[in-house]
Every structure is written in C-alpha cells, then in structure tokens.
Amino acid sequence: MAYGIKLKVWGEYACFTRPEMKVERVSYDVITPSAARGVLEAIYWKPEIRWVIDRIHVFKPIRFDNIRRNELGNKLSSANVKKAMKDGKSPVEIFIEDNRQQRAATVLRAVAYGIEAHFEIRKGENNTAKHVEMFSRRARRGQYFHHPYLGCREFPAHFELVEEDFTDKSAFEDEDERDLGWMLHDIDFNNNMEARFFRAVMRNGVIDVPPFGAEEVVA
Amino acid sequence: MSAIQNRYEFVYFFDIENGNPNGDPDAGNMPRLDPETNLGLVTDVCLKRKVRNFVEIVKENQSPFEIYVREKAILNLTHERAHQAVGAGEKEEGKKRKGKGVEVEKARAWMCANFYDVRTFGAVMSTGVNCGQVRGPVQFTFGRSIDPIVPLEVSITRMAVATEKEAEAQSGDNRTMGRKHIVPYALYRAEGFISPHLAAQTGFSENDLELFWQALMNMFDHDHSAARGKMAARQLIVFKHDSALGNAPAHKLFDLVDAKLWDNTKPPRSFKDYGIIIGSAPDGVTIEEKI
C-alpha cells in the first residue's frame, strides 16, 4: 500500500442513491466506493491515474431523513435542440407545471467518513510521487477542481486531509460485524456502463473494499 | 466572453415575515422543518427557481439569457426569440467523439451559449451519450433557519364556493374555510459554491456572475405572493479566492460567518434581533459584502 492517502469527509446531508430505488430516492446506509471516488476526483484527478478506494471508515451513527421536492419529469430533448439550432428561433423550454414530479428522497443525516485510497497509473510515466504530492497539497489547503459532494450536488462534502491515522472514534467501534448487504462498488465504464456490486460488511466501523476486479465483485 | 477565473463561496441570509418560504408537499404544504431540530429548511431547488425567474424577468428571456426551465406564472409575451448560432469552428481538435457524440457536443455548447440556467446550474440531455450532461458551476445548498421555527396554522374563510353542489349543501350560505401556514419570523442561511473549472466548461462569464449576484440580491422582490408574506434578502457575503483552485477550505470560510440572536430569551421577530458577525479572511481570500 504505497502511496495511500487518507481523507476525512463530512456533511449535513448525503444521498448515495440505491440503484433499485432511484425515483423516490433511498440512500444506502453508507458512502459507496463509487461516490468516494467521485469526492477524490473532485479534488484531484488526471486521465493518467485511477483512484482506488481501499477502506471506508464510518464515524457517525446511520440516521435517515425524508425530503420531498418538486422535480422535473423529463430531460432536455435533443430533438428540440436540433430543430432550434437549425432555424434559430424554435422555442426550447420546459414548463415546470406541466412536467412536475414530486419525489421524496430518503437521505442520510450528519455523516462523517474516512476514506483510505491509493491510485493506479493507467498510462504515461510512472510518476506516483507527483500525483500524491499534488493531491495532498490541494486537500491540505482545501483546494479543489469543483466542490466535492455526498451523492448529490446539493449536499456538499467538507473534507480534510489526514496525514497520520484517523483520530475520530467510530460509533460502530464495538460492533464486530454488520452486514450492509449488496452495495454498488462502481460502474464499469469500459464495459458498457455495467454496474458492479459487492457485499459490504462493516467491521468495527470499517468497511474493507475489495479491488474492482476481484472475484467477490459481481455485476 | 471568457469564463470566470476565481473560485467563490457565498453565504446568503434571507428572512421571512408572516409567510411560508417553502412548503413541504409531504406535510400538506407546511413550511419545511428539520424534524430533529425544528429548524426551518428551504431547498436548493426553491432558491434556484427564484434565480431563474429573476433572470427571465430582467433579461426578457432573450438570448444569451434565455431560461430553459420556466414557470407559466411569469410567462412574458416575448415569444419571438432568436437563438444565436454558435460557431462550429470553436471546437478543439482531439476532443472529437464518434458520430452521435459530436452532435451532442454541439447541442450542448449551443444550449450553454443561449441558456443562462443551463450555463449556471447545468442540465441533462436525453441522449445515451455521456457527455450530454452539463454540470453547472453554481452549487447551492439547502437554506436553513438560524433558530427553530414554530409554524402557525391560520384558518381563513372565503365568502364564495366553487361549485353549485356546495352552494346547495350550505343552502346558500356560501362559505368555505381554508388554511394558511405561516412562519412568524425566521432568518435563513444558505451557502453556495462556484467553481471556475466547471464555468470554463459551460462558458459562465463574469457578466453571468454579476447577474447571479443581482438575482440573489433582488429575487424576492419579484416573487411576492399571498403565500410568501414578506421575504427579503438580508445579507450576501461572498468569498473570492485569488486562484481558481482556491486558497482556503470552504468550511473554514463558512465558519467565519455567524448569525447571533442578541437576546435569546425572546423569539426573534425581525432582522434587528440578529447580529451577523464576519471574521477576517485568510490570505488569498477577499470578503465582499454585496448587501
């Protein structure tokens, strides 16, 4: 585990939506490796590297809350856009009243996680020290490419680089094992956006994330 | 028009007097409440809607400030809208995607160039290609009241009925009762982030940013209604970083701003009951008080 980094992230709300409950969103109990990767990529990423999540520490108790909002029913239709691009005056618009869907979201409250990760070089020169240095420098100063978020953009993630070990006590410290069920690991972008899942088990507040290519990660 | 070059965070205070800032569809349109703390909530999408409406009114929905997600209530009569053609030659080589992707890319650029809300908040295009997504530079969080709120239910009567059947049932008395939910007073705080990197991808410029601040300062003045009572933007504190990546952690900047109740033995009933304290900015960050 050379070149690992540790990052603490926390926020008021979070919503790591379960793929089987997407319309009325229901969050997983904890952050998924995929969302954790997104947080890291928001801070530092280059096409040469790929972040790999090794471990997720869950510091705070798992609590849920319900929020119902008026949302838009459909997406921007590219046919309309094309038509308007051609003639330069056809209207492109959507009226929220005609397209309203009220959707509830079951979101997490007051979360804090520790993310342990490293990265793999995908191509180019093997310059790991540079990437670690750049990530750490940014995370230390609170710099980022865009503000990281916890599942949805309205739930921002505050973050802090942890140089030594996590000092936070986990609420699950005394719980030997809690099975969180099947959880999304990440999306396989090389393979037609196939979702892959793993069995998330939290031991004393820590979830060990198997490598993406491992046997226990199934589509 | 070039995109913005600095990272920004902002803290936005607005208050409400005898009105309902944001009803909860799950609770019969009562003001939204955080059930654990009784603090009031105003969702991100509620605030974005008001920004959109303000821009639509001010810019009369003309290119390049058209609004894509609209409300019929503020439909104006400018139906004749001409979109600008976007030069297809502006694309860098090497970013070409195959077939459909190029089309989507063009459509995306065209949408960003013409529509203020797409450029600012982003939008999702209904195509299978992954680049049909626009992530906007402006990220809003939920607004939340500084102190717990106690919504009041106000019963009202109407001297008319909607249907003949009702009239008959009341033998000509013709009265109906209704309910209004109000918050007597609350001061809300919302926070937000503006990323110059995402701005570069959508072309969100300094002018757009200026318009965005204008919207935050004035949007409640164009949003009066029976339900909302008196809402006003009270304070807008902007943290401008010297660099695109930023010079300080966002949460530390937000911690510099605090709203305090002068006398916590009484419930707050006006903005005068609060004092807003702003600390001093770290190096490389300037604090601008827009209001």
Side-chain angles (χ1 to χ4, degrees):
Chain A
M1 277 307 317
Y3 302 123
I5 59 102
K6 290 194 181 85
L7 190 77
K8 185 188 165 189
V9 299
W10 69 96
E12 290 261 3
Y13 292 97
C15 182
F16 310 108
T17 311
R18 290 173 181 267
E20 69 271 27
M21 293 183 246
K22 268 169 107 160
V23 177
E24 300 263 304
R25 291 183 204 88
V26 178
S27 175
Y28 278 118
D29 291 0
V30 297
I31 190 169
T32 61
S34 165
R37 178 180 59 86
V39 168
L40 300 180
E41 283 175 0
I43 298 170
Y44 177 78
W45 178 79
K46 288 232 180 325
E48 289 87 48
I49 63 170
R50 177 191 290 134
W51 285 107
V52 178
I53 310 294
D54 301 311
R55 237 171 259 108
I56 291 168
H57 300 247
V58 183
F59 296 134
K60 292 223 173 136
I62 296 165
R63 290 168 30 213
F64 287 98
D65 198 352
N66 244 307
I67 298 164
R68 186 179 289 273
R69 285 177 284 188
N70 291 325
E71 299 183 14
L72 203 54
N74 32 2
K75 292 187 267 189
L76 203 163
S77 129
S78 47
N80 281 358
V81 176
K82 257 196 205 126
K83 186 161 174 279
M85 280 168 82
K86 270 211 186 77
D87 66 9
K89 60 181 197 307
S90 299
V92 182
E93 59 201 5
I94 229 172
F95 288 107
I96 178 74
E97 289 94 339
D98 304 340
N99 254 307
R100 177 170 287 167
Q101 292 188 347
Q102 290 196 333
R103 292 182 177 177
T106 305
V107 301
L108 291 164
R109 284 298 313 275
V111 297
Y113 302 107
I115 300 170
E116 281 186 58
H118 69 283
F119 56 79
E120 289 165 1
I121 300 284
R122 295 179 51 208
K123 55 174 189 246
E125 50 191 290
N126 200 343
N127 209 340
T128 33
K130 177 186 94 169
H131 296 300
V132 162
E133 196 41 50
M134 281 181 83
F135 176 88
S136 306
R137 207 162 44 215
R138 281 192 193 182
R140 211 174 285 132
R141 294 183 191 164
Q143 298 181 317
Y144 48 71
F145 182 86
H146 64 81
H147 198 86
Y149 47 90
L150 297 165
C152 303
R153 286 195 74 196
E154 57 271 33
F155 308 135
H158 298 310
F159 61 90
E160 218 167 50
L161 186 72
V162 177
E163 315 259 4
E164 299 295 325
D165 281 317
F166 291 115
T167 50
D168 296 70
K169 267 182 75 82
S170 166
F172 301 96
E173 206 147 61
D174 308 326
E175 198 172 333
D176 289 344
E177 195 166 288
R178 178 190 286 214
D179 190 347
L180 298 169
W182 287 100
M183 188 161 102
L184 176 81
H185 188 300
D186 212 328
I187 309 279
D188 192 347
F189 293 94
N190 295 332
N191 186 4
N192 211 355
M193 312 275 289
E194 187 181 59
R196 296 176 65 101
F197 296 82
F198 76 109
R199 190 93 202 183
V201 180
M202 184 162 66
R203 291 184 180 88
N204 308 88
V206 182
I207 301 165
D208 275 300
V209 181
F212 193 54
E215 245 171 65
E216 61 262 46
V217 180
V218 295
Chain B
M1 296 238 285
S2 61
I4 55 169
Q5 301 299 323
N6 308 74
R7 185 180 124 187
Y8 296 87
E9 269 93 46
F10 59 89
V11 180
Y12 181 51
F13 287 100
F14 56 95
D15 67 356
I16 175 117
E17 212 177 294
N18 297 333
N20 182 356
N22 184 204
D24 187 344
D26 265 342
N29 209 28
M30 280 208 359
R32 290 183 189 273
L33 270 180
D34 176 336
E36 286 169 333
T37 57
N38 276 346
L39 295 174
L41 290 176
V42 171
T43 58
D44 58 317
V45 282
C46 169
L47 296 166
K48 284 179 182 175
R49 172 79 267 152
K50 291 177 183 19
V51 171
R52 283 186 164 107
N53 287 356
F54 177 83
V55 172
E56 188 171 344
I57 290 166
V58 170
K59 295 289 181 183
E60 294 180 335
N61 212 4
Q62 290 300 331
S63 175
F65 297 102
E66 293 174 57
I67 294 292
Y68 169 66
V69 186
R70 300 173 64 196
E71 235 178 17
K72 282 207 176 103
I74 55 162
L75 197 57
N76 48 35
L77 295 170
T78 40
H79 288 307
E80 278 299 309
R81 286 191 282 159
H83 316 293
Q84 293 174 333
V86 178
E90 283 177 23
K91 281 190 50 202
E92 305 137 59
E93 285 305 310
K95 277 189 78 175
K96 279 226 166 29
R97 291 181 175 81
K98 279 194 264 330
K100 214 172 165 191
V102 177
E103 291 284 299
V104 173
E105 196 77 42
K106 270 192 190 156
R108 203 188 136 205
W110 183 89
M111 283 303 292
C112 285
N114 281 295
F115 288 83
Y116 183 81
D117 56 343
V118 175
R119 215 163 45 232
T120 307
F121 301 131
V124 180
M125 300 248 245
S126 62
T127 52
V129 186
N130 212 17
C131 60
Q133 260 189 42
V134 183
R135 255 197 311 197
V138 177
Q139 198 176 338
F140 256 113
T141 65
F142 280 19
R144 164 179 293 221
S145 67
I146 307 295
D147 288 294
I149 60 173
V150 182
L152 297 180
E153 194 177 300
V154 182
S155 291
I156 50 176
T157 56
R158 176 171 71 161
M159 293 307 175
V161 286
T163 61
E164 265 180 65
K165 203 170 144 212
E166 278 180 282
E168 272 166 33
Q170 300 188 17
S171 57
D173 219 6
N174 290 9
R175 281 169 30 142
T176 35
M177 298 282 286
R179 278 203 317 260
K180 268 184 135 166
H181 295 285
I182 62 164
V183 179
Y185 181 84
L187 179 66
Y188 285 81
R189 166 184 178 145
E191 292 161 357
F193 312 87
I194 304 176
S195 154
H197 302 98
L198 294 177
Q201 292 174 13
T202 69
F204 182 82
S205 67
E206 292 288 346
N207 280 354
D208 291 334
L209 182 70
E210 205 40 55
L211 181 59
F212 179 69
W213 301 139
Q214 290 287 336
L216 289 187
M217 289 186 250
N218 302 310
M219 65 195 191
F220 293 117
D221 297 334
H222 300 274
D223 190 60
H224 291 298
S225 77
R228 273 193 273 283
K230 273 164 72 182
M231 288 187 84
R234 288 297 184 171
Q235 203 142 20
L236 173 58
I237 298 143
V238 176
F239 299 100
K240 181 179 180 179
H241 296 253
D242 287 352
S243 62
L245 280 173
N247 298 54
H251 62 274
K252 292 206 165 134
L253 295 178
F254 290 143
D255 287 348
L256 294 175
V257 179
D258 200 10
K260 277 232 175 340
L261 203 52
W262 295 121
D263 176 1
N264 57 14
T265 57
K266 294 200 305 261
R269 282 297 177 264
S270 90
F271 186 60
K272 289 193 196 75
D273 296 348
Y274 281 100
I276 306 237
I277 301 150
I278 306 172
S280 54
D283 284 346
V285 180
T286 33
I287 298 185
E288 295 171 30
E289 283 188 67
K290 299 272 179 191
I291 312 178

